[in-house]
Each structure stands twice: as structure tokens, then as C-alpha cells.
Amino acid sequence: MQYKDYYKTLGVARDASQDEIKRAYRKLARKYHPDVSKESDAEARFKEINEANEVLHDPEKRAAYDALGSGWRAGQDFRPPPGGGRRGNYRFNADDVGDFSDFFSSIFGRAFGGAEPPRRRGQDQTVRIALDLDEAYRGVTRQVRVESSGNARTLKVRIPAGVTQGRQIRLAGQGGAGLGGGPAGDLYLEVELKPHPHFTPDGRDIHLRLPLAPWEAALGAAVSVPTLGGTVSLKIPPGSQSGQRLRLKGRGLPGDPPGDTLVTLEIQAPPATTEAARRAYRKLAEQLDFNPRADLGV
């Protein structure tokens, strides 16, 4: 295994005070926290920073680490001293610290009066998975790449039909490895739905804006409407107006109950680009007593 220079990891001198160590750790933890960092190696760096802080912020563990001497270089081949290093009743902040490295365990792993290291459950992990709406509607099998403790693996995962934006799919025992024989954490796949050119999801419901010709809205009509499950016929009531919403029950994402497709009507006027079209509009203006701004009092 390789020697880890915890002082170098935190960017402090070997004689740094506890306040200096605390400030350095907080600065680096903010920079490399996986939830906010843009760095490609943020997760690995965050674990290294936490491990270094776990040792250096505790006077007993720091003293045991310093007892190894200062002649070591980061990355140098390292053999632990007999007995696993200095023994003592060390305390570990298992909730805040990620998986310990082999180097850490070689120094502190038997630091419980000669007992084995404590069993500790591995960390849960979250991986985002981007899906088309059609994939969310029908379900899909995907290859998911997972990285944990420097190791990468690929899982074949079946995404069920009807998943919604932000839903988390739990894969038990597929997260970070446990410590001291402890169980592995869980892996959560967080669904992110890609934008669709026509449909907008809202939970299991799907929103669609449907263009209509003026005569379809005025006289009523049966028109073809696309849905995730295929084209269906929708009856437009006579006298329909722009902004009016019609419901196609059960035509959204599947589930118990399934969602609906909510259709918002948009009346579009044909362009008056020909003389015939202009004559038709002039004839309508003459024959219809219609003022679209009557409600405005003008």
C-alpha cells in the first residue's frame, strides 16, 4: 500500500495548530463536496480530505500518525508497523467519513484494544439517469456505471414503466462497500426526464398544447391528438376557446392510478397570404357581428 501524507492533503504544515487544520478542512470540504463541486474528481478528493481530517483533528490519532515519522513521502510504498500501529481507544466519526483507505486501517484498524475494526455500513450513493419520455412511459433496461472507492463497475438495471421526474429507484446493497465486513450501502437511481418537443410532464400527468383552426373551435370537430401511447381521437366541443383545457383520462404515464393527458387548446388563424384568403376574411368580417375586445369596453 502507499503512504498517505495527511498534512499535504489538507495543505497544512506538520506543526499546524488545530484551528489551522479546521480552517483548511472546511475550505477544502466546501470546494470538493460532491453535491456542489464541478471538479471531475470531487468525490475521491472529498473522501481523502475527510480521512485526513479524521486523523489530524483528533490529538490521539494525530500523535499515532506522527509517530510513524516525517521521512515518508506521499505515494511511497508503506508497510505498517507490527501490531497495526499504536493502539488506543480511538473514536471514529463514521457518519461523516467515507470509506477508510487501507493505509488508514493499517494504522488504526486494531486500535480498539486489539479487537477487529468495527463493522460499518457502506455509504449510500445516488446516480442520475436521464430518460426520454417514451422510455419513462414504456420502461427500459439500461447499463449504469457506478464508481465507489476508486472502483468502477457496470450494472444492468431495469427501469419500470411510469417513472416520474425526480423519482429514486433503490438498488439494495449496490452502494459503497462496508467497513470491517459491514454491509454495503444502497444505490439510488434518480430519474431525470429529458425535454420533449410536444409533451410536458407534471408528475404522471402530461400537458400538450393543441392547435385548432377557427372553424374547428367554432363548430366543433373530432381531431387526432398524439399521446405517449399513440394517436387518439378527441372531440372538440362547439364554441371552444383558446386556453380551454380538455382531459384525456388515463393517457399519461402509467401507474396506480395512471396519469392523464391534459390538452390546452390554441386557436390559430390561417395566414391571409392569397387574394382568396383575404376575400374570405373580408366576407367573415361583413357577415359576423363579432368584437373580440368587447370585454375591454372598446
Side-chain angles (χ1 to χ4, degrees):
M1 72 187 70
Q2 295 180 337
Y3 176 83
K4 287 184 174 291
D5 189 336
Y6 292 135
Y7 292 100
K8 185 177 180 180
T9 299
L10 294 184
V12 297
R14 294 186 72 88
D15 60 351
S17 67
Q18 287 298 308
D19 285 341
E20 289 173 327
I21 290 171
K22 182 186 297 185
R23 287 195 297 269
Y25 167 71
R26 288 179 175 176
K27 179 179 179 180
L28 292 171
R30 285 194 298 268
K31 179 178 180 180
Y32 290 104
H33 196 288
D35 290 344
V36 298
S37 179
K38 304 295 185 181
E39 303 290 338
S40 60
D41 60 345
E43 184 177 352
R45 289 296 305 275
F46 189 67
K47 289 181 179 180
E48 292 174 355
I49 292 162
N50 272 329
E51 182 172 313
N53 183 66
E54 180 70 19
V55 174
L56 298 185
H57 91 285
D58 185 293
E60 286 190 70
K61 290 198 285 288
R62 182 178 181 182
Y65 173 72
D66 287 345
L68 299 175
S70 58
W72 297 93
R73 299 188 310 275
Q76 182 179 355
D77 287 342
F78 174 78
R79 287 181 177 274
R86 172 180 163 177
R87 299 171 182 242
N89 293 319
Y90 301 107
R91 292 173 297 173
F92 291 85
N93 191 354
D95 291 332
D96 295 337
V97 181
D99 297 338
F100 294 119
S101 67
D102 290 341
F103 172 78
F104 182 101
S105 298
S106 73
I107 304 303
F108 302 103
R110 297 191 184 94
F112 297 84
E116 290 298 319
R119 287 168 53 87
R120 183 163 62 86
R121 183 179 179 275
Q123 287 186 318
D124 291 339
Q125 292 179 269
T126 301
V127 175
R128 290 184 180 178
I129 182 167
L131 300 178
D132 295 325
L133 264 179
D134 289 337
E135 293 175 323
Y137 178 80
R138 294 181 175 83
V140 66
T141 298
R142 280 290 189 85
Q143 301 283 339
V144 179
R145 181 178 173 84
V146 182
E147 295 188 6
S148 177
S149 303
N151 297 318
R153 54 201 167 94
T154 300
L155 302 175
K156 187 176 182 180
V157 180
R158 175 65 186 174
I159 308 298
V163 292
T164 54
Q165 173 70 27
R167 174 173 169 185
Q168 290 192 333
I169 301 170
R170 176 175 174 262
L171 302 178
Q174 296 294 335
L179 178 68
D186 297 334
L187 175 66
Y188 291 88
L189 302 182
E190 185 173 310
V191 173
E192 181 176 340
L193 297 179
K194 299 178 184 177
H196 191 280
H198 307 303
F199 303 127
T200 301
D202 180 13
R204 287 199 177 100
D205 291 338
I206 298 295
H207 292 264
L208 169 69
R209 306 191 76 84
L210 181 69
L212 290 178
W215 49 87
E216 292 174 326
L219 304 176
V223 300
S224 295
V225 178
T227 72
L228 288 172
T231 301
V232 300
S233 180
L234 175 64
K235 185 176 181 180
I236 307 298
S240 294
Q241 300 292 324
S242 281
Q244 186 173 338
R245 180 176 290 177
L246 303 178
R247 183 185 301 270
L248 290 169
K249 190 171 180 61
R251 289 287 180 172
L253 290 170
D256 187 18
D260 303 327
T261 290
L262 303 174
V263 180
T264 301
L265 306 182
E266 286 187 345
I267 300 174
Q268 296 187 0
T273 55
T274 66
E275 182 57 33
R278 289 189 286 271
R279 282 197 302 270
Y281 274 120
R282 284 192 288 267
K283 189 174 182 180
L284 279 175
E286 293 170 359
Q287 294 185 351
L288 297 180
D289 182 17
F290 176 62
N291 179 7
R293 295 170 295 282
D295 288 344
L296 301 178
V298 294

